[in-house]
Amino acid sequence: MRTVTATHASRGFSDLLDAVEHGETIAITRAGHVVAEIRPAAATTGRALREALAGVSRLDEDLESDIAAATALLTTEQDDPWRVD
């Protein structure tokens, strides 16, 4: 694993991403100690999610209908109250 300083990482971030894309893991240090690691993202599939959900019991009918009713109240026509113009 290669180790670089935070300053070097910020100045050469694109190069670090290229190295990570090719499978390398890079430790980033600040003040002499490791504060982060950049590593390739793990490939994921829907299978992992299906396996995780396989043991979870289904929602009861009342909860499912409550969720459906709440979802029906949502609209996309309303302006975003958090948007700053």
Side-chain angles (χ1 to χ4, degrees):
M1 173 176 10
R2 178 166 41 141
T3 301
V4 299
T5 65
T7 300
H8 181 266
S10 68
R11 290 182 182 158
F13 192 66
S14 181
D15 293 335
L16 292 181
L17 288 180
D18 289 342
V20 170
E21 186 176 31
H22 289 95
E24 191 173 343
T25 297
I26 300 169
I28 300 174
T29 63
R30 180 185 286 161
H33 66 280
V34 175
V35 295
E37 288 183 357
I38 300 176
R39 66 184 72 235
T44 58
T45 65
R47 185 171 85 185
L49 178 59
R50 284 190 297 277
E51 289 173 358
L53 294 175
V56 177
S57 60
R58 291 189 46 89
L59 300 176
D60 66 33
E61 290 181 24
D62 290 337
L63 181 56
E64 283 192 49
S65 65
D66 289 345
I67 292 172
T71 303
L73 296 174
L74 299 175
T75 65
T76 57
E77 298 171 11
Q78 183 179 10
D79 287 337
D80 181 357
W82 301 107
R83 188 179 74 214
V84 177
D85 290 327

